[in-house]
Amino acid sequence: MSIAMPAPDADVIARRDGFITALGAIVPGEGVIADEKGLRTYECDGLAAYRALPLAVVLPETVAQVSAVMALAGEHNVKVVPRGSGTGLSGGALPLTDGIVLGLGKFNRILEIDYANRCVTVQPGVSNLAISQAVSAAGFYYAPDPSSQIACSIGGNVAENSGGVHCLKYGVTTNNLLGLEMVLMSGEVIRLGGKQFDSDGYDLLGILTGSEGLLGVVTEVTVRILPKPSSVQALLLGFGDVVDAGDCVARIIAAGIIPAGLEMMDKPAVKAAEDYCHAGYPLDVEALLICELDGPAAEVSELVDRVEAIARESRATTLRRSQSEEERARFWLGRKSAFPAVGRISPDYYCIDGTIPRGKLAHVLARMRELSAHHGLGVVNVFHAGDGNLHPLILYDAAREGDLQKTEALAGDILRLCVEVGGVLSGEHGIGIEKRDLMGAMFTEGDLKQQQRIKCAFDPAGLLNPGKVFPVLHRCAELGAMHVHHGKLPFPDLPRF
Amino acid sequence: MSQTLRPASAEETRQAVAWALGEETALEIVGAGTKRAFGHAVAAGHRLELAALSGIVDYEPAELVLTAHAATPMAEIEAALARSRQQFAFEPPDLGPLLGAPAEHATLGGVLAANLSGPRRILAGAARDHALGLVMVSGRAELVKAGGKVVKNVTGYDVTKLICGSWGTLGVMTEVSVKVLPAPERTRTVLVAGLEPSAAVACMGRALSSANEVSGAAYLPAAVAARSAVSYVASAGAAITALRIEGPPISVGARNEALRALCAGDGEIEELHSHNSATFWRELRDAAPVPADAAAVWRLSVPPAAGAGVLAALEPSEGEGWLDWGGGLVWWSCPATAAASAVVRDAAQASGGHATLVRAPDALKAEVAVFHPQPAGRAALSRRVREGFDPRGILNPGRMGPDPLGTD
């Protein structure tokens, strides 16, 4: 519990009752939750180690209500924490004790399915999977598929720029988004993009995606849908050495093959998954790769042959190709249940999310083993190998004094390692509060201040989800100040006419 | 006196911007200058020429990422990528010749600053989808790093995307990292002759809704097709609907058959192999079919299914053009008059899309905004974003229009 949140505004807390009454005038009935039992439901998101009770939870049903709530909060200096399904893993939806949680759960309708333009417009509370399900019968799907896709909302996906196992070939949320509607802290409603491919003017759609609920509350989303591939096949590849597995990944890509999915699990992850769901994984391997290829049938069978040949050259010790949909599903079963499987072998686990250049995999895994030994905590690795996105799971016991602190220290070391080898702090879970204080490992104070000036353009009073993403909060007036030095023409030794 | 500053490093670029800040004067930012005629003239007394910021910094094919100094020529980068059988999948256009500049001089920074994407945009995404990170100098004369060098990254705001398409009005890029992908082994283009625009858009829609991974879908009315350098297209004597497929030979063969079957009832079918395909799609990529004497050239981004309707709505402007991106991109040439411009803007607006005036005489640009006018709320938000990066408005002021994006 080492992350400190901004000091609550006592004046706002003192005025709580009046504010709740005013909220009730905008969102009637059960749309405002203020009793402690009701608030408990919203006290945390997927980063459950951090909890707080908000002043109130408001569940608006219309854009006009969202706008009025935001404007009211702005007038009363009340902070707003937007929340979708609350599945986020970095604490982006952690409530603030002097703020309200604005839940988008009632924005759960699919507004338009437009097959002619191959796009779908939905409200932000619609789940990721529901979009694919709605268009499945017509042969389409929505490509980004985070593992929480049954529950996670598309609005949350926009906030975190969510990925999934298929983003190597099909991109993450930002690459599949065409338009959105958002409400600013002022209550102003702004529309970005539409059904066309490129939006005009500054790419505000791009900056909103992955902004972790700090810039605006998304109230409508238009995404691209893709025709389902006609054929899908997966390979299960086991290796006696992690280096060989990493080598195999590099060779597949060097051969010009972009698999739909390319996942790796280390030995402890394979063992945990196999014990949990009996997917038929080989237990004598140091690393297991699942390589999925999709596309036209002729292409898939050709590429499966090529990948198999590459795997042999990379000294694969296990080599299986799925012969049926049922078998392909079984290959994935273990990977997809890796988290609950790990949950069975350890009282608690902490999922990390960093990205590294693919070529550094073996080095990072070796260093991670040293760090794991140093901190005295086990680490199990699942890994989106195709795009370098690591998900180490640290095993700990929250009931044991000091374990969580040790876990956070180890997680910090692993993430700093990711940055050290040329990677980043988060591939798809976001910074939230979890990695907030590590931002300095990747960005200078100047870089972070420039990012916060973007926030000032959207939310000058800093009331929308403050305390997340940025380790140090600056007032916008301070960020706007500039010292100008009058000087001579620089580098006068260069010809310049 | 007007100065031309030619920094040779990121730090010198920062010093140049610091000097301009101190002098309270503005800079026009120039890479190779091939797109100077695109957009409004910059109201700046001095030039910041980045040509010396050139060269590939890091390129490891297995990482699928290339990092280069901002003014590295695209030709140099594409040659390096080709040696490893890779490419920028967004198919960056070379608009030099369209804009009266030499071909093959464009720089990587310029392509990203304009967020230019070619025909493969429908499958692979835009330039902004491939830009992973950058280093730039803000209008506050500070070196700023954004993004990273890996494809999956949610570490802070995606500032890189904001810089793409901002035409140098937010910062001066000094180094960029871009995602690269394998180049396809084989290409085929299925041509369907003689379709009306609405039938063509329907045909392209069917192809793009099929599982054949179509990487180009364009419609050229007969007069436009006649100007193609590919004889099959030029001699067809009819409108041409073109569908491109790329990939391993066996896959291209199978999809080629599937697409031919899909379009069998539409019209006469012809087929281009790799060489002719490359020529044809390069022409469209670079807007080469625009007549040399076209007075005003527009680029409309619209919902794909609206493409045929937009072409019809454009007719009163007495011009001509073609569709790319399955109907989602309209290139349109017409007289350089306010009346014709109003027709174009209205056609784009009515479809839900927007129109950009790519080439026009200065007199028209004085009357008509190059970039599509925005609703007041979004324009004000964009102005505030710009103020955060360039509070004194010293970077390319006026390039994107007077107010809101070119504030000073």
Side-chain angles (χ1 to χ4, degrees), chain A residues 333-402:
Chain A
L333 181 64
R335 167 63 185 88
K336 292 197 168 173
S337 37
F339 289 14
V342 167
R344 235 177 49 147
I345 61 170
S346 174
D348 296 283
Y349 67 87
Y350 187 94
C351 175
I352 315 180
D353 163 48
T355 305
I356 58 168
R358 292 173 201 85
K360 306 288 189 197
L361 173 64
H363 168 74
V364 167
L365 287 180
R367 283 281 295 128
M368 218 187 289
R369 274 195 292 272
E370 291 168 21
L371 291 169
S372 159
H374 173 76
H375 288 274
L377 291 170
V379 176
V380 171
N381 266 290
V382 295
F383 181 41
H384 301 305
D387 43 34
N389 190 192
L390 294 167
H391 288 316
L393 304 170
I394 300 175
L395 312 180
Y396 75 104
D397 182 353
R400 201 157 59 206
E401 180 73 26

Side-chain angles (χ1 to χ4, degrees), chain A residues 409-496:
Chain A
L410 173 55
D413 284 349
I414 291 173
L415 290 169
R416 274 185 286 265
L417 171 64
C418 291
V419 175
E420 194 183 294
V421 301
V424 299
L425 293 171
S426 175
E428 57 184 356
H429 295 170
I431 299 300
I433 57 161
E434 186 205 14
K435 282 160 277 191
R436 186 192 72 189
D437 294 348
L438 293 169
M439 285 289 270
M442 206 171 132
F443 294 113
T444 65
E445 185 61 19
D447 297 337
L448 293 173
K449 282 184 171 173
Q450 188 55 56
Q451 293 196 31
Q452 284 176 279
R453 288 186 192 104
I454 297 173
K455 178 161 173 66
C456 292
F458 285 78
D459 171 27
L463 290 173
L464 190 55
N465 218 4
K468 318 289 172 72
V469 182
F470 299 106
V472 182
L473 286 177
H474 299 281
R475 301 172 72 88
C476 289
E478 176 202 338
L479 289 167
M482 186 163 59
H483 297 286
V484 176
H485 302 281
H486 296 265
K488 279 186 289 194
L489 204 59
F491 42 94
D493 51 324
L494 291 174
R496 59 179 75 81

Side-chain angles (χ1 to χ4, degrees), chain A residues 32-318:
Chain A
V32 177
I33 299 168
D35 65 297
E36 193 190 323
K37 187 158 170 286
L39 294 180
R40 284 277 166 225
T41 311
Y42 296 87
E43 67 180 351
C44 68
D45 61 9
L47 185 70
Y50 289 85
R51 291 162 197 264
L53 285 189
L55 286 181
V57 174
V58 58
L59 305 172
E61 289 182 63
T62 66
V63 177
Q65 286 178 349
V66 174
S67 170
V69 167
M70 302 278 277
L72 179 78
E75 279 166 36
H76 289 78
N77 215 24
V78 173
K79 297 173 180 112
V80 176
V81 175
R83 177 185 167 109
S85 302
T87 57
L89 293 169
S90 56
L94 175 73
L96 300 169
T97 53
D98 57 344
I100 55 169
V101 167
L102 195 158
L104 278 303
K106 291 187 176 174
F107 278 76
N108 56 5
R109 285 186 302 128
I110 293 176
L111 299 174
E112 188 192 5
I113 297 176
D114 182 348
Y115 289 119
N117 285 307
R118 296 168 291 284
C119 64
V120 175
T121 301
V122 299
Q123 291 187 321
V126 170
S127 76
N128 171 293
L129 187 61
I131 299 175
S132 286
Q133 285 171 339
V135 297
S136 176
F140 288 89
Y141 75 115
Y142 173 61
D145 57 345
S147 57
S148 56
Q149 68 177 156
I150 296 172
C152 66
S153 69
I154 192 70
N157 288 181
V158 171
E160 303 300 329
N161 193 15
S162 303
V165 297
H166 289 102
C167 55
L168 175 61
K169 184 167 176 183
Y170 297 104
V172 294
T173 304
T174 192
N175 313 116
N176 289 278
L177 197 61
L178 291 173
L180 57 79
E181 179 190 76
M182 63 169 171
V183 181
L184 299 184
M185 200 57 229
S186 62
E188 196 179 354
V189 180
I190 305 258
R191 295 190 73 89
L192 304 174
K195 291 179 177 181
Q196 66 275 19
F197 286 102
D198 285 345
S199 53
D200 61 314
Y202 288 157
D203 192 355
L204 301 180
L205 191 61
I207 208 78
L208 244 291
T209 314
S211 64
E212 306 201 34
L214 269 68
L215 299 182
V217 173
V218 172
T219 48
E220 189 186 295
V221 181
T222 300
V223 296
R224 294 183 71 183
I225 50 172
L226 303 179
K228 283 192 263 190
S230 51
S231 175
V232 188
Q233 203 172 0
L235 289 134
L236 194 67
L237 309 168
F239 297 85
D241 189 328
V242 172
V243 174
D244 291 341
D247 186 46
C248 184
V249 169
R251 285 190 198 205
I252 289 170
I253 285 162
I257 300 168
I258 301 296
L262 189 53
E263 295 290 310
M264 191 187 291
M265 299 165 76
D266 70 359
K267 185 171 191 149
V270 171
K271 169 103 174 54
E274 185 57 26
D275 289 349
Y276 180 70
C277 65
H278 314 292
Y281 288 170
L283 294 173
D284 59 345
V285 297
E286 287 298 317
L288 190 69
L289 279 183
I290 303 172
C291 177
E292 181 159 292
L293 296 142
D294 70 10
E299 176 171 330
V300 170
S301 70
E302 156 120 358
L303 294 184
V304 166
D305 286 346
R306 288 196 208 173
V307 169
E308 203 173 283
I310 291 166
R312 280 186 212 288
E313 287 166 25
S314 307
R315 298 166 293 281
T317 52
T318 302

Side-chain angles (χ1 to χ4, degrees), chain B residues 32-400:
Chain B
T34 61
K35 287 181 276 292
R36 284 191 81 207
F38 193 150
H40 293 282
V42 172
H46 310 282
R47 276 168 71 125
L48 182 60
E49 283 196 1
L50 303 174
L53 297 179
S54 181
I56 294 170
V57 176
D58 187 20
Y59 171 41
E60 282 178 53
E63 293 294 339
L64 300 179
V65 176
L66 177 140
T67 300
H69 295 298
T72 310
M74 287 299 291
E76 179 182 333
I77 291 172
E78 285 173 344
L81 293 175
R83 285 194 288 275
S84 295
R85 285 176 292 146
Q86 293 188 332
Q87 64 179 10
F88 285 147
F90 61 95
E91 215 173 356
D94 179 3
L95 297 186
L98 177 74
L99 297 166
E104 298 189 358
H105 274 59
T107 65
L108 177 57
V111 165
L112 296 180
N115 189 29
L116 290 174
S117 322
R120 205 181 289 108
R121 198 249 177 274
I122 51 173
L123 185 70
R128 54 85 93 176
D129 291 299
H130 296 257
L132 301 177
L134 51 80
V135 179
M136 65 171 189
V137 178
S138 72
R140 306 170 59 91
E142 290 169 349
L143 268 171
V144 178
K145 177 188 140 181
K149 297 182 179 181
V150 292
V151 289
K152 260 172 106 178
N153 181 6
V154 203
T155 314
Y157 299 140
D158 197 348
V159 176
T160 309
K161 291 217 167 38
L162 188 62
I163 301 305
C164 288
S166 69
W167 291 88
T169 62
L170 298 178
V172 185
M173 284 181 251
T174 59
E175 184 185 296
V176 289
S177 293
V178 188
K179 177 179 170 180
V180 302
L181 284 167
E185 294 167 52
R186 180 167 293 178
T187 305
R188 286 284 181 278
T189 303
V190 173
L191 304 176
V192 186
L195 301 188
E196 291 300 314
S198 58
V201 169
C203 170
M204 293 191 284
R206 277 206 312 284
L208 290 167
S209 299
S210 75
N212 293 305
E213 291 185 8
V214 171
S215 72
Y219 171 71
L220 285 62
V224 176
R227 290 195 292 273
S228 175
V230 177
S231 61
Y232 283 114
V233 177
S235 62
I240 290 291
T241 304
L243 303 167
R244 178 174 63 181
I245 38 182
E246 302 170 296
I250 188 167
S251 161
V252 169
R255 285 183 286 152
N256 186 23
E257 291 310 312
L259 279 182
R260 291 180 73 119
L262 198 68
C263 305
D266 288 330
E268 198 179 321
I269 293 182
E270 190 54 77
E271 185 180 310
L272 301 180
H273 287 197
S274 289
H275 179 73
N276 278 332
S277 282
T279 306
F280 177 77
W281 292 103
R282 195 181 309 116
E283 287 179 330
L284 295 193
R285 182 194 79 175
D286 300 344
V290 167
D293 61 353
V297 180
W298 292 83
R299 191 173 182 270
L300 291 76
S301 188
V302 302
V310 169
L311 276 184
L314 286 168
E315 264 174 33
S317 71
E318 297 181 335
E320 60 141 56
W322 72 93
L323 304 177
D324 198 343
W325 297 358
L329 178 69
V330 188
W331 280 97
W332 189 254
S333 309
C334 64
T337 63
S341 303
V343 170
V344 177
R345 276 266 144 77
D346 289 349
Q349 186 82 32
S351 76
H354 53 91
T356 307
L357 182 54
V358 176
R359 186 177 90 188
D362 290 342
L364 184 66
K365 287 200 257 186
E367 255 183 287
V368 175
V370 166
F371 297 95
H372 203 90
Q374 302 187 354
R378 184 150 60 90
L381 178 57
S382 295
R383 188 191 308 126
R384 295 196 298 271
V385 168
R386 174 162 156 84
E387 282 164 4
F389 281 85
D390 180 17
R392 302 286 159 85
I394 60 166
L395 304 179
N396 271 357
R399 186 75 199 251
M400 296 184 80

